[in-house]
Amino acid sequence: MSAQILDGKGVASAIKGELKERVTALRERGVVPGLGTLLVGEDPGSQWYVAGKHRDCAEVGIASIREDLPADATQEDIEAAVRRLNEDPACTGYIVQLPLPKGIDTNRVLELVDPDKDADGLHPTNLGRLVLRVNEEVTSSLPCTPRGIIELVERHGIKLAGKEIVVLGRGVTVGRPIGLLLTRRAVNATVTLTHTGTTDLAALVKRADVVVAAAGVKGIVSGEMVKPGAVLIDVGVSRETDPETGKSRVVGDVSPEAAEIAGWVSPNPGGVGPMTRAMLLANVVESAERALAGSSAFGPTPGCVPAGRCPGVGRWRGAVLRPGRRT
């Protein structure tokens, strides 16, 4: 029996509808959420991603603020743009589009971002807050893709409490932070993080109730590795040439054979990607809501313009979608 589909496009659309209502409520109180982007150079892929984020903003009523710099921008130029976004009251959250040009100290740039305006949810301060708040509500920005994965699963009526979850990949955007979210008491899952140094990966995956595949290796999760009925979240992105059209296409970490055995699977593309973009918008809106409340979530950050704390801003609650389409 083929797996049911975790419909990322459908859930993301529902979340955007909810966000649009929240943005309207903010506008009625004189606050307009604004997403800023810092783009350096003319990389086509980066330009495409940034343009997509601003299209998403237009859908829900979020203002767009752009800082576009030439490819030969210096470290000082880029840092000055970060400071402008930190100080701009119209910008309630922003991202630095990666990669930055060679020779730029990327970590230094990212650490200059005001944590209260961290739309990606990956600032060291916000990740540290996530580590500390195991039992409490987290009111700072959350990592977009991990948050989107949990929303995607829960909105299809799948409970994660008590589940054994195996994560493939230890990257900073997915693999490392998702364990922090999944092991919070509010979710209460048990997580095993695997990587290229893991021995007997197949045995670990075979036990898992949920597999988050974020290795970026085509078909690394094969059919014989999957427990019948497991939930497969395909995050990995690889590219290959379509033999019929000659065009490049995206392929994921989950093999077609594994999808035949699983209970649920997220398509790739069309599963986690739309959720990541929706969570970026959510972080921007929630930052505006905190700012409206008038004080920083964790006190002023030295050298940064404080945003604010909005009591009650927490994990999403919304309509449950079930059952999903089948592959």
Side-chain angles (χ1 to χ4, degrees), residues 7-19 59-60 274-275 278:
D7 182 11
K9 290 182 179 179
V11 176
S13 178
I15 289 173
K16 286 180 182 179
E18 296 164 8
L19 286 172
E59 283 187 46
V60 300
M275 293 298 300

Side-chain angles (χ1 to χ4, degrees), residues 145-156:
T145 300
R147 180 183 183 182
I149 289 168
I150 294 172
E151 285 296 323
L152 178 61
V153 172
E154 290 190 339
R155 288 199 181 215
H156 282 82

Side-chain angles (χ1 to χ4, degrees), residues 11-24 60 151 155 279 285 289 316-320:
V11 176
S13 178
I15 289 173
K16 286 180 182 179
E18 296 164 8
L19 286 172
K20 191 171 184 178
E21 293 178 2
R22 292 166 68 179
V23 169
T24 298
V60 300
E151 285 296 323
R155 288 199 181 215
M279 294 299 100
V285 172
E289 290 171 335
W316 287 91
R317 288 292 178 265
V320 174

